[in-house]
Short mmCIF file of all heavy atoms in Angstrom, two decimals:
data_model
loop_
_atom_site.label_atom_id
_atom_site.label_comp_id
_atom_site.label_asym_id
_atom_site.label_seq_id
_atom_site.Cartn_x
_atom_site.Cartn_y
_atom_site.Cartn_z
N LEU N 1511 -17.75 -11.09 20.75
CA LEU N 1511 -16.32 -10.79 20.63
C LEU N 1511 -15.60 -11.70 19.65
O LEU N 1511 -14.39 -11.58 19.46
CB LEU N 1511 -15.65 -10.92 22.00
CG LEU N 1511 -16.17 -9.99 23.10
CD1 LEU N 1511 -15.48 -10.31 24.43
CD2 LEU N 1511 -15.96 -8.52 22.73
N ALA N 1512 -16.32 -12.61 18.99
CA ALA N 1512 -15.71 -13.53 18.05
C ALA N 1512 -14.92 -12.78 16.97
O ALA N 1512 -15.40 -11.78 16.42
CB ALA N 1512 -16.76 -14.42 17.41
N ALA N 1513 -13.70 -13.23 16.71
CA ALA N 1513 -12.83 -12.56 15.73
C ALA N 1513 -11.79 -13.56 15.23
O ALA N 1513 -11.71 -14.70 15.73
CB ALA N 1513 -12.16 -11.35 16.36
N ASP N 1514 -10.99 -13.13 14.26
CA ASP N 1514 -9.92 -13.99 13.76
C ASP N 1514 -8.64 -13.82 14.56
O ASP N 1514 -7.83 -14.74 14.62
CB ASP N 1514 -9.65 -13.67 12.29
CG ASP N 1514 -10.80 -14.10 11.40
OD1 ASP N 1514 -11.05 -15.31 11.29
OD2 ASP N 1514 -11.47 -13.20 10.85
N PHE N 1515 -8.47 -12.64 15.17
CA PHE N 1515 -7.30 -12.43 16.03
C PHE N 1515 -7.53 -11.20 16.88
O PHE N 1515 -8.45 -10.41 16.63
CB PHE N 1515 -6.02 -12.33 15.21
CG PHE N 1515 -5.85 -11.04 14.43
CD1 PHE N 1515 -5.01 -10.03 14.87
CD2 PHE N 1515 -6.50 -10.87 13.22
CE1 PHE N 1515 -4.83 -8.86 14.14
CE2 PHE N 1515 -6.35 -9.69 12.48
CZ PHE N 1515 -5.51 -8.71 12.95
N ILE N 1516 -6.69 -11.07 17.90
CA ILE N 1516 -6.74 -9.91 18.82
C ILE N 1516 -5.49 -9.07 18.61
O ILE N 1516 -4.39 -9.61 18.50
CB ILE N 1516 -6.82 -10.39 20.28
CG1 ILE N 1516 -8.06 -11.26 20.50
CG2 ILE N 1516 -6.84 -9.20 21.24
CD1 ILE N 1516 -8.03 -12.04 21.79
N LEU N 1517 -5.67 -7.77 18.57
CA LEU N 1517 -4.56 -6.85 18.41
C LEU N 1517 -4.47 -5.97 19.66
O LEU N 1517 -5.45 -5.34 20.05
CB LEU N 1517 -4.77 -5.97 17.16
CG LEU N 1517 -3.73 -4.91 16.86
CD1 LEU N 1517 -2.35 -5.52 16.66
CD2 LEU N 1517 -4.15 -4.12 15.60
N ILE N 1518 -3.29 -5.94 20.27
CA ILE N 1518 -3.06 -5.19 21.51
C ILE N 1518 -1.81 -4.35 21.38
O ILE N 1518 -0.76 -4.83 20.95
CB ILE N 1518 -2.92 -6.15 22.71
CG1 ILE N 1518 -4.17 -7.02 22.87
CG2 ILE N 1518 -2.63 -5.36 24.00
CD1 ILE N 1518 -4.04 -8.06 23.99
N SER N 1519 -1.90 -3.09 21.77
CA SER N 1519 -0.73 -2.22 21.87
C SER N 1519 -0.58 -1.80 23.31
O SER N 1519 -1.11 -0.77 23.75
CB SER N 1519 -0.88 -1.00 20.95
OG SER N 1519 -0.90 -1.37 19.61
N ASP N 1520 0.14 -2.61 24.07
CA ASP N 1520 0.39 -2.34 25.50
C ASP N 1520 1.73 -2.94 25.91
O ASP N 1520 1.92 -3.32 27.05
CB ASP N 1520 -0.75 -2.91 26.35
CG ASP N 1520 -0.75 -2.36 27.79
OD1 ASP N 1520 -0.03 -1.37 28.03
OD2 ASP N 1520 -1.44 -2.92 28.64
N THR N 1521 2.63 -3.05 24.92
CA THR N 1521 3.96 -3.60 25.16
C THR N 1521 5.00 -2.62 24.65
O THR N 1521 4.66 -1.57 24.09
CB THR N 1521 4.12 -4.98 24.49
OG1 THR N 1521 3.72 -4.87 23.12
CG2 THR N 1521 3.29 -6.04 25.18
N ASN N 1522 6.28 -2.99 24.79
CA ASN N 1522 7.37 -2.08 24.44
C ASN N 1522 8.06 -2.47 23.15
O ASN N 1522 8.08 -3.64 22.75
CB ASN N 1522 8.41 -2.05 25.55
CG ASN N 1522 7.86 -1.50 26.85
OD1 ASN N 1522 6.99 -0.66 26.86
ND2 ASN N 1522 8.37 -2.02 27.95
N MET N 1523 8.69 -1.47 22.54
CA MET N 1523 9.63 -1.74 21.44
C MET N 1523 10.93 -2.24 22.08
O MET N 1523 11.13 -2.15 23.30
CB MET N 1523 9.86 -0.47 20.64
CG MET N 1523 8.56 0.15 20.15
SD MET N 1523 8.67 0.91 18.53
CE MET N 1523 10.16 1.84 18.58
N TYR N 1524 11.83 -2.77 21.24
CA TYR N 1524 13.09 -3.29 21.77
C TYR N 1524 14.02 -2.16 22.21
O TYR N 1524 14.83 -2.31 23.11
CB TYR N 1524 13.77 -4.18 20.73
CG TYR N 1524 14.96 -4.93 21.28
CD1 TYR N 1524 14.78 -5.88 22.29
CD2 TYR N 1524 16.24 -4.71 20.80
CE1 TYR N 1524 15.86 -6.57 22.80
CE2 TYR N 1524 17.32 -5.40 21.31
CZ TYR N 1524 17.13 -6.34 22.31
OH TYR N 1524 18.21 -7.03 22.81
N GLY N 1525 13.86 -1.00 21.59
CA GLY N 1525 14.67 0.16 21.93
C GLY N 1525 14.28 1.31 21.00
O GLY N 1525 13.46 1.14 20.10
N PRO N 1526 14.86 2.49 21.19
CA PRO N 1526 14.55 3.62 20.30
C PRO N 1526 14.81 3.26 18.85
O PRO N 1526 15.92 2.82 18.49
CB PRO N 1526 15.49 4.71 20.79
CG PRO N 1526 15.77 4.35 22.23
CD PRO N 1526 15.80 2.86 22.25
N GLY N 1527 13.81 3.42 18.01
CA GLY N 1527 13.96 3.11 16.60
C GLY N 1527 14.02 1.64 16.26
O GLY N 1527 14.26 1.28 15.11
N LYS N 1528 13.79 0.79 17.27
CA LYS N 1528 13.91 -0.66 17.07
C LYS N 1528 12.58 -1.33 17.41
O LYS N 1528 12.31 -1.63 18.59
CB LYS N 1528 15.03 -1.23 17.96
CG LYS N 1528 16.41 -0.68 17.61
CD LYS N 1528 17.47 -1.27 18.52
CE LYS N 1528 18.87 -0.73 18.17
NZ LYS N 1528 19.90 -1.27 19.09
#
Side-chain angles (χ1 to χ4, degrees):
L1511 300 175
D1514 292 294
F1515 72 103
I1516 301 166
L1517 178 59
I1518 301 176
S1519 294
D1520 195 13
T1521 50
N1522 296 328
M1523 306 216 315
Y1524 190 63
K1528 297 179 180 179

